[in-house]
Amino acid sequence: MNKHSQLPAGTTSSPIYDVLRKDLVGGRFAAGEKLAINALKEHYQVGLSPLREALNKLAAYGLLIQENQRGFRVPKLTRDELDDIARLRTELEGMALERAITHGDALWEAELLAAAHRLKRADVSLDKGEEWERLHTQFHRTLVAPCGSVWLLRFIEQLHDQFDRYRRLGPKMPIIRQELDDQHHELVDLALSRDANAARALMDDHIHKSYEVALARFQAHA
Amino acid sequence: MNKHSQLPAGTTSSPIYDVLRKDLVGGRFAAGEKLAINALKEHYQVGLSPLREALNKLAAYGLLIQENQRGFRVPKLTRDELDDIARLRTELEGMALERAITHGDALWEAELLAAAHRLKRADVSLDKGEEWERLHTQFHRTLVAPCGSVWLLRFIEQLHDQFDRYRRLGPKMPIIRQELDDQHHELVDLALSRDANAARALMDDHIHKSYEVALARFQAHA
DNA sequence: TTATCAAAAATAATCGATTTTTTAACTCAT
DNA sequence: ATGAGTTAAAAAATCGATTATTTTTGATAA
């Protein structure tokens, strides 16, 4: 299996796309900020053409906004959009989880256990860095992987990135974070016991708790 | 209102993106074909940089496949993918229609009637060209527009483009096409009478009939 | 002081040419 | 003939420089 797994647009050449994507999701750029292309060029040590092509792809993906003759901008974060993303993620990821539980085979069970274990190992270090994020994304991806719909997986991944822009700016909230970590293992248990309804209900709650973390930032800054 | 309406990635500068998108959805390129960038450059009379940026966006959108150091390719058409797209379109468009019927206001009712009327005027001309396609897309977009979810609308538009790649290669099938045309008006009636369940059922059938048209090509060529 | 306009600076977008990589053609040995 | 290895041709990707557009600055007048 690829170490990067198959990204929808990640089949492309230069790694600048993936790096920028990671930095955008990780909040390295301020929401609403206008990107200074020359500064990016220098900072990431890439040429103008590969950079612009990456920015164009990110705009089509929804992590940037392209404005007519005035470059690229980081999308603003709004309460309304967070609600939209969380609700749609609940619907799509729930749908995918049901299908995955129907179709997932023994290999999937093994990979799911492995992904959950790797994530738990990273949970213990209280400071959750890029590595934890990677494992977390990978866990959720594994969970729904055998749903049978390439397009559904694609949309879910896109929504995850969007959602994470909000979540990763949220406060620590150690109690809720602990519950979230625990839920990953409960999700595995329910998936392995093929209890689609309970799994879906738990996923709904999981997303809702994450939503509360993300939302806290708005209430603090409002 | 814009004559092009708001496209997710259509905010950008050069019109080459929209032209290429239209041609890709319209089947101007063979499925699986490798794009000869220099030929495109000449044919569309654009420079290399704007062209490559458009191709990058189309790859991120899913209408092209970008391969590592060997350019761009038109995605193949497969029975499995058609099934996937049709099924997901049914779920998402049904979901959006329900929400639109809940939230749509009087202005929406008026626009919906207008869009249906314009489409019917184009229906009569048996040869359904680009103009009919535009009005058809516009009708379906209007139908779900007030669903309240920007991201849901975005995914639906993407799926529509993907679905249309298949549908537009399907055979004439005048009887089924006539039924499809009639269903547009029935959809308006059910939307205006706020009968979400019936509307959703009809939409399911509408997509299924279109699916049969698209599928016919596979059975012929198989 | 504020507003309007013009000039200058900064930035985005595009172009033409160069470099890199892939694909095709060819040679030669088995 | 077939296949490996080499060279030539084609194509993709990148670079550096130019052009077009926007934004900022500063001057002038109301």
Side-chain angles (χ1 to χ4, degrees):
Chain A
M1 195 180 280
N2 293 341
K3 68 177 148 186
H4 281 295
S5 169
Q6 71 292 353
L7 304 173
T11 0
T12 177
S13 47
S14 65
I16 181 62
Y17 174 87
D18 289 305
V19 175
L20 267 171
R21 181 187 181 219
K22 188 161 64 66
D23 288 350
L24 283 163
V25 171
R28 288 272 211 304
F29 300 93
E33 175 185 351
K34 180 154 141 22
L35 295 186
I37 298 198
N38 270 4
L40 290 185
K41 192 163 97 79
E42 169 147 347
H43 183 262
Y44 292 102
Q45 287 293 299
V46 288
L48 181 60
S49 308
L51 176 59
R52 283 190 60 87
E53 297 195 358
L55 296 176
N56 271 278
K57 270 191 287 206
L58 288 164
Y61 185 69
L63 281 174
L64 285 176
I65 292 168
Q66 189 168 16
E67 289 169 319
N68 206 315
Q69 298 275 126
R70 53 204 74 166
F72 297 85
R73 185 172 292 281
V74 181
K76 289 217 183 83
L77 300 172
T78 70
R79 165 82 198 257
D80 277 357
E81 198 198 33
L82 174 57
D83 291 353
D84 183 9
I85 292 165
R87 179 171 179 190
L88 197 52
R89 211 197 123 186
T90 303
E91 302 256 25
L92 299 197
E93 208 161 337
M95 188 187 301
L97 181 55
E98 264 190 27
R99 295 202 210 171
I101 286 175
T102 303
H103 297 112
D105 57 10
L107 178 59
W108 172 61
E109 297 182 355
E111 284 178 354
L112 194 50
L113 281 165
H117 179 71
R118 282 191 288 265
L119 181 58
K120 190 190 183 77
R121 297 295 300 257
D123 279 347
V124 295
S125 71
L126 257 300
D127 118 81
K128 303 197 164 169
E130 287 291 337
E131 180 61 7
W132 184 87
E133 294 292 343
R134 223 200 82 241
L135 292 170
H136 182 239
T137 299
Q138 185 58 40
F139 170 76
H140 277 278
R141 193 182 314 189
T142 304
L143 195 54
V144 294
C147 76
S149 170
V150 171
W151 280 97
L152 184 53
L153 291 176
R154 186 177 176 130
F155 293 151
I156 287 171
E157 179 156 323
Q158 213 170 339
L159 282 177
H160 255 270
D161 278 349
Q162 293 294 330
F163 188 84
D164 282 356
R165 288 189 69 216
Y166 289 85
R167 177 181 59 76
R168 292 180 66 172
L169 291 177
K172 289 268 192 277
M173 294 181 145
I175 299 125
I176 234 181
R177 298 261 187 182
Q178 180 61 51
E179 291 171 342
L180 284 166
D181 288 345
D182 295 341
Q183 285 185 333
H184 293 136
H185 287 278
E186 298 168 30
L187 280 167
V188 172
D189 291 342
L190 293 173
L192 295 192
S193 62
R194 310 283 167 170
D195 190 339
N197 287 341
R200 190 161 182 167
L202 181 56
M203 178 65 85
D204 287 357
D205 188 59
H206 187 65
I207 295 172
H208 186 76
K209 280 191 164 65
S210 304
Y211 167 77
E212 280 174 3
V213 173
L215 192 63
R217 186 179 162 277
F218 276 100
Q219 288 159 340
H221 288 237
Chain B
M1 193 181 283
N2 293 342
K3 64 177 152 187
H4 283 293
S5 169
Q6 71 291 354
L7 304 173
T11 0
T12 176
S13 47
S14 63
I16 180 62
Y17 174 87
D18 289 304
V19 175
L20 267 173
R21 180 185 181 222
K22 188 160 64 66
D23 288 350
L24 283 164
V25 172
R28 288 271 211 303
F29 299 93
E33 176 185 350
K34 181 158 145 12
L35 295 186
I37 297 197
N38 268 8
L40 289 185
K41 192 163 98 79
E42 168 146 348
H43 182 261
Y44 291 103
Q45 286 293 302
V46 289
L48 182 60
S49 308
L51 176 59
R52 281 191 59 89
E53 297 194 359
L55 295 177
N56 271 279
K57 270 191 286 205
L58 289 164
Y61 185 69
L63 281 174
L64 285 177
I65 292 168
Q66 188 168 17
E67 290 170 317
N68 206 315
Q69 297 276 123
R70 53 204 74 166
F72 297 86
R73 186 172 291 281
V74 180
K76 290 217 183 83
L77 300 172
T78 69
R79 166 79 197 259
D80 276 356
E81 197 197 33
L82 174 58
D83 291 355
D84 183 10
I85 292 165
R87 180 173 179 188
L88 197 53
R89 211 195 123 187
T90 302
E91 303 256 27
L92 299 197
E93 207 160 337
M95 188 188 300
L97 181 55
E98 265 190 28
R99 296 202 209 170
I101 286 175
T102 303
H103 297 112
D105 59 8
L107 178 60
W108 171 60
E109 298 182 354
E111 284 179 353
L112 194 51
L113 282 165
H117 179 71
R118 281 191 288 266
L119 181 58
K120 191 191 182 80
R121 297 295 301 257
D123 280 347
V124 296
S125 73
L126 257 300
D127 119 81
K128 303 197 163 169
E130 288 291 339
E131 180 61 8
W132 184 86
E133 293 293 342
R134 223 200 83 244
L135 292 170
H136 182 240
T137 298
Q138 186 57 41
F139 170 77
H140 276 277
R141 196 184 321 205
T142 304
L143 195 55
V144 294
C147 76
S149 169
V150 171
W151 281 97
L152 184 52
L153 291 176
R154 185 176 175 130
F155 293 151
I156 287 171
E157 178 156 324
Q158 213 170 339
L159 282 177
H160 254 271
D161 277 350
Q162 293 294 331
F163 188 85
D164 282 356
R165 288 188 72 216
Y166 290 85
R167 178 181 57 77
R168 291 179 67 172
L169 291 177
K172 289 269 192 273
M173 294 182 146
I175 299 124
I176 236 181
R177 298 262 187 181
Q178 180 60 51
E179 290 171 344
L180 284 166
D181 288 344
D182 295 342
Q183 285 184 334
H184 293 137
H185 287 278
E186 298 168 32
L187 280 167
V188 173
D189 291 342
L190 292 174
L192 295 191
S193 62
R194 309 284 167 172
D195 189 341
N197 288 340
R200 189 159 182 169
L202 181 56
M203 178 64 86
D204 287 357
D205 189 60
H206 187 66
I207 295 172
H208 186 77
K209 280 190 166 64
S210 304
Y211 167 76
E212 281 176 2
V213 172
L215 192 62
R217 186 179 162 278
F218 277 100
Q219 290 159 337
H221 286 239

